[in-house]
Amino acid sequence: MEHIRMPKVENVRLLDRFSSRRAVVGTLYLTATHVIFVENGSETRKETWVLHSQISSIEKQATTATGCPLLIRCKNFQVIQLVIPQERDCHDVYISLIRLARPVKYEELYCFSFNPKLDKEEREQGWKLVDLNEEYNRMGVPNNYWQISDVNRDYGVCDSYPTEVYVPKSATAHIIVGSSKFRSRRRFPALSYYCKGNNASICRSSQPLSGFSARCLEDEQMLQAIRKANPGSDFIYVVDTRPKLNAMANRAAGKGYENEDNYSNIKFQFIGIENIHVMRNSLQKMLEVCELKSPSMSDFLWGLENSGWLRHIKAIMDAGIFIAKAVAEEGVSVLVHCSDGWDRTAQVCSVASLLLDPYYRTMKGFMVLIEKDWVSFGHKFNHRYGNLDGDPKEISPVIDQFIECVWQLMEQFPCAFEFNERFLIHIQHHIYSCQFGNFLCNSQKERRELKIKERTYSLWAHLWKNRADYLNPLYRPDHSQTQGTLHPQIAPCNFLYKFWSGMYNRFEKGLHPRQSVTDYLMAVKEETQQLEEELEVLQERLANLQKSQSGNNKVKSKQQDQSKQFGLYTSNNSLANTPQEYSNDLKSFPSRSPSQGDEDSALILTQDNLKSSDPDLSANSDQESGVEDLSCRSPSGGGCLPSEDSGKDSDEAVFVAG
Amino acid sequence: LLRSSQPLSGPNRRRCREDEQLLGTILDEDERGFIIDTRSAQAAKQARMGGGGTEPKSSYPQWRRLHRGLERGRPLQESFIRLVEACSEASPGMDRWLGRLESSRWLSHVKAALSTACLAAQCLDREDAKVLVHGAEGTDTTLLVTALAQLILDPSCRSLEGFQELLEREWIEAGHPFQLRCARSASSHARGKQEAPLFLLFLDCVWQLSRQFPLSLEFGEQLLLTLFDNAYASAYGTFLCNNERERSLCKVKESTHSLWAWLNQPEEKQKYLNPLYSHNPLVIWPSVEPQSIQLWQGLFLRWIRPSQHLDEAWEEIQRLVKGN
C-alpha cells in the first residue's frame, strides 16, 4: 500500500479506443493488487478491473484541454485509455502504477492474497489434479528401456530441472553427471515423450559446450544410451532449433552443437527458429498494427508481413511436425535442443507431443502437457513474463507462441481438440495474471523454496471446475480426427495460418463474429442430452404403466405426455448489434467498431464476488451476439456522414488506372 | 433504396426536368436523401467528358451526394487473377504469401464493398433517409451495393428463398451482364474487356457476412460455391444472357431449366441449408476492420487445401443439430 500515492481519483474518463465520443466518466481506484475503474452511471456502475501483473507498459501522454491521458497496455493485449483531469493526479497515478506493475518481491503478487474460499484440503487436491508421475506411467515408463533417475534429487546436478527425470536404462548416474557438465546450464538430455507403439522417444536438452573441438565421453555415451533405448532404429536425430548461423556463433563462446563425427549414429538437423529477442520485436510490431486507427487492408497485411509473426509460428509448427514425423512414421528417436533448452525446445517438444498423442488434445492432457514440458522442465516464467521487475531483454512471448500454434491447429482440425479457444485464452491470461501459483518463478526449485503449493492455488483446479465453459462441442473421443497422429499439411500451407484476432484483439468485441457457433452448439448439445434423459424417464414410466395396465384395463397410458416443451436455444437475437463507423472520410470519424454496448472490457466484477470469482469469467461473454444498442449513434450536429462531394477517396478506391 | 445509372449531364451540364421531378417526388417536403455514387469523385467528374456525370446540388437540392469509389472492370479482374495466382503458387515463404495477398488487393475490394453497403444501410436504418445508388451503368457496383444492403437490413433476404429472390431481383432482372462478365473467370487476361468478377465479389461479401453472423443466414457456403460455379458454366438457364430482353429473345424460359427449381428440391435443398440458422429479425452490421475480413478459403483454396477435416466438422455440426 505504500506504493499507492493516490488511491482514488474522481471524474476520470475511460475512452473507447476508437471513438472518443463514447467516453465514460467514473472513478479510478488503485488497490494493492488491481486498478479498478467504476463507471458513474446510476444503474450499471460497470467496473473494469485490471491486475497489476497484467500491466505491460504505462504511457503518460501530453496534457490536452480535456485532461491528462494515460495509456495502459496489458500483457493480455487489453489497452485502456484513461483521461485524468488534473495533471498532478495523473502523474501520481502514473508513478504508483509504475511501481505496482513492477513488483520486486513475490509476496507482492496477487496469488498470495487471492482467496477463493477453499479449505486447505481443497487447495491440496487442486494441486494434485495434475500428477506427472501418473503421466509418465501412462506413457509407459519406467520400463525395460527407460528408468526414473533421482540423481537430481537435491537439484545438485541441474537446478532448473525437476528432481525426477527419466533417462535411458543404460545411462548411469556417472554418465548423467558427466553429460550435465558438458551442457549449457547443466541441462542434460532427459525424456520428454515416449511412444509406446514403437519405442521412439523425444528427449530434450540444452546445447553442448563443444566450442570448436571439445568432446565429452559421457555426453556421447548419453546420446548412445538414447539410441539404444530404441531397438527399432540404429540412429537418432539431433535437432537444433536455432538458425545455423546462431548456433555456429555460439561455438566462439565455447558452446555450439553436436558434431556428427564425434557422436556415433546421429543425424544432425537445424530447424531455424529465431531467438527470444526477434520474437519480442515481432510481437511488438504486430501489436503496433493492431493499434492502428482505421487501417486499410493494405496497412494491415503489410504490417502483419513486416512483423514476421506468422512466419515464426509456422517455423515452430514445422519443427514440431518434423519431430512428430520422425517418431511416428520413421520410428526414430529425437533429441531436441536450442541454446539453453528452455524456450524453443519447450515449444517444439510440446507441439510434437500434441501432434503425436491424442491425450494431449484433451483438456486434462493439455494441462499435463504444460506441466510437463514447461513447468517441470524449468521454463523461466518469471523472466519471460515479468512476474517480478527484471531485465526487459528477458521478456519474450514464448508460451504465447505455443498457445497460438495450438489455436492454428484447432482451426485446421476443428474436431480434434476437447477444449475450445476460450480455454487457450484463459490459460494465456493467467500465465500473466499471477492469480494462481502455477507459473511463478523460474524453476521447480524456486517454487518449492517459496512453498507455492502451500500458499497459493492451482489454476488447473479452477479451470477444471469450470470445464463446461471450455468444451469443444465438435469433439468426440471416437471421431477419426481425435485418433492417432495429426498430420497438418506441410506445403503449400502458408495460407492456412490466420491472424488470431480472438487473442490479439481480444477486447475489441466489435471485431469478432457476433454469434458464437461454439456456444450455440454447446447449448444444443446440452439440450439434446436433457431431452434424452427426459425421454428415458418417460419411457420407464411408460413401461411401468403398461405393466400395471395389463393388470387393470381401465388405466389409460399416458403416452401423449411427450417431453416438455424445452425452449430451444435462442441465440440472443433479441439484442441488436451496433454499426461501426463506415465513413472514414472525415478525420474526426474513426472507422473502428465500437465495443458492444456495455461489454467494453472483459474484466467485469462486482464488489460482492471480488474474492471468489475469476475476474475473467465474464470473458465468457466475449463471443455473445450483439448487445442492445443503448445509445443511438447519430449525433445531433454534423451527422455521422460526411458532407457531399467529399473530395478524398477512401484508400481502397485508389486504383491504378489501366 | 433505389438504383439507377448515371445521369447524362455531359460536359455542358445538361439538365433534365423529368429526372429532377422523379427524384423530387420520392422525397417528402423536408426530407433528405442520399445519392451514393460508386465512382470516385474524380472518376465521376471525368465521366462528364464521355457524356455522363453526376447530379448537381443545385438541380437536386434535397439530395446529398456521397462518393464511394468501388473497383470494377479490368482492374477488378486483374485483382482476381493475381489472387488466384498467389493461391496456386507452390510454396512461397510465408511473408511472400502475405505480400502477394496484399498486392492482389482483393480483400481491399471486399472491405470497400461491404463498407459501402453498410453505409447505404446506415442511411436507411439510422438516418431514416432514402438512398439512391448508382455508378456508371448501374449494372455492376450498383447492384453489388443494393443487394448487400438488403441482406444487411432485411432478414427475409437471409432465408434460402429470400436470398434466391434477392438474386433474381437485384442481379438477374436488374440486368447484370452475366454473359459478358462471367465468361472465362481467372484465366482471362486481356481478352474479354467486359470480363469482371462483380458477382464473385458479391458472393465473397455474403460469405464474410455468414462468417460474422454464422447463425443468421439460412444457407451455407455450399450454396455460394454452387452459385459461383453456375454463374460461369451451368446446366441451367438462370444466369444466361445479359438482361431480360435477351433472355426473352433467346426464349430462355421456354427452353431451359431453372437453377432455383433444381436447388429447391427437398433432397438438394438439404445440402445448402445452414443447420445453425435461426431467424434473426434484426439488422446485422458487419465489422469491416481488416481483422474481420478473411480470405474465402473455401473458394480460393478449394482445390488446393484438403477440406477433409473441415467437412468432417461440418458433418458433426449437422449431426449435433439434427440429433436435437
Side-chain angles (χ1 to χ4, degrees), chain A residues 557-569:
Chain A
S557 58
K558 292 195 188 155
Q559 55 203 140
Q560 79 278 9
D561 182 12
Q562 295 302 315
S563 51
K564 284 188 257 166
Q565 284 310 307
F566 280 92
L568 258 182
Y569 174 87

Side-chain angles (χ1 to χ4, degrees), chain A residues 156-169:
Chain A
V157 178
C158 172
D159 65 359
S160 59
Y161 264 10
T163 46
E164 289 176 347
V165 286
Y166 283 79
V167 294
K169 257 287 169 50

Side-chain angles (χ1 to χ4, degrees), chain A residues 270-556:
Chain A
F270 280 113
I271 302 187
I273 302 173
E274 302 289 346
N275 65 31
I276 59 169
H277 310 293
V278 173
M279 301 309 191
R280 182 177 58 247
N281 290 330
S282 178
L283 179 65
Q284 182 59 36
K285 287 211 192 112
M286 192 170 72
L287 293 179
E288 282 166 17
V289 176
C290 294
E291 283 195 30
L292 291 176
K293 297 239 191 291
S294 341
S296 67
M297 202 72 215
S298 279
D299 293 337
F300 177 70
L301 289 173
W302 275 122
L304 194 57
E305 180 184 302
N306 285 336
S307 73
W309 180 259
L310 289 177
R311 179 164 45 89
H312 300 312
I313 298 292
K314 181 171 181 298
I316 296 166
M317 192 80 89
D318 285 345
I321 294 173
F322 174 84
I323 294 170
K325 260 184 136 199
V327 169
E329 290 173 25
E330 298 179 58
V332 176
S333 293
V334 185
L335 171 66
V336 189
H337 72 77
C338 46
S339 295
D340 294 323
W342 46 40
D343 293 315
R344 288 165 278 194
T345 303
Q347 289 172 327
V348 157
C349 287
S350 34
V351 169
S353 305
L354 199 63
L355 293 171
L356 284 168
D357 193 333
Y359 176 65
Y360 298 126
R361 294 174 232 138
T362 63
M363 214 178 285
K364 180 89 186 300
F366 190 68
M367 298 183 200
V368 167
L369 182 65
I370 295 185
E371 248 337 286
K372 177 167 70 79
D373 275 315
W374 295 84
V375 178
S376 80
F377 271 103
H379 178 67
K380 299 197 299 175
F381 284 93
N382 178 24
H383 284 176
R384 292 284 173 270
Y385 314 115
N387 303 155
L388 302 181
D389 190 30
D391 181 2
K393 292 220 155 36
E394 291 276 342
I395 303 272
S396 189
V398 183
I399 202 169
D400 307 58
Q401 288 181 323
F402 163 65
I403 292 174
E404 176 161 346
C405 286
V406 182
W407 178 77
Q408 300 281 358
L409 281 172
M410 271 169 50
E411 290 286 296
Q412 291 183 40
F413 299 94
C415 300
F417 292 82
E418 191 189 25
F419 47 86
N420 61 27
E421 183 188 29
R422 188 180 296 138
F423 187 61
L424 295 177
I425 292 180
H426 284 196
I427 290 178
Q428 192 267 1
H429 177 96
H430 283 299
I431 287 171
Y432 290 97
S433 78
C434 301
Q435 182 172 336
F436 300 93
N438 309 60
F439 309 114
L440 293 186
C441 309
N442 287 328
S443 65
Q444 192 191 71
K445 174 167 186 257
E446 285 181 25
R447 280 185 287 272
R448 291 217 178 143
E449 280 164 6
L450 271 180
K451 297 207 183 346
I452 293 294
K453 291 197 176 163
E454 287 88 347
R455 300 162 68 190
T456 68
Y457 293 86
S458 167
L459 173 66
W460 303 136
H462 169 82
L463 292 176
W464 189 250
K465 201 166 59 152
N466 294 312
R467 61 188 176 281
D469 291 336
Y470 301 122
L471 290 172
N472 169 18
L474 299 179
Y475 174 78
R476 261 182 22 230
D478 58 341
H479 194 279
S480 61
Q481 262 182 47
T482 62
Q483 315 292 333
T485 316
L486 283 186
H487 297 284
Q489 186 172 352
I490 305 195
C493 65
N494 294 307
F495 35 70
L496 293 175
Y497 291 88
K498 298 187 251 191
F499 172 78
W500 192 6
S501 68
M503 171 65 84
Y504 304 110
N505 291 121
R506 178 178 167 197
F507 296 94
E508 291 152 53
K509 303 282 166 41
L511 287 184
H512 308 143
R514 306 305 169 74
Q515 298 163 333
S516 164
V517 176
T518 300
D519 290 343
Y520 179 82
L521 288 174
M522 282 313 295
V524 166
K525 240 183 157 170
E526 230 181 84
E527 192 187 74
T528 305
Q529 208 174 1
Q530 282 172 359
L531 288 170
E532 280 171 2
E533 284 166 13
E534 174 78 7
L535 185 63
E536 261 182 49
V537 168
L538 288 169
Q539 279 174 338
E540 257 188 63
R541 223 190 280 166
L542 180 63
N544 289 336
L545 281 170
Q546 282 174 339
K547 266 194 234 142
S548 64
Q549 186 187 37
S550 54
N552 181 351
N553 289 333
K554 293 220 173 114
V555 177
K556 275 198 190 130

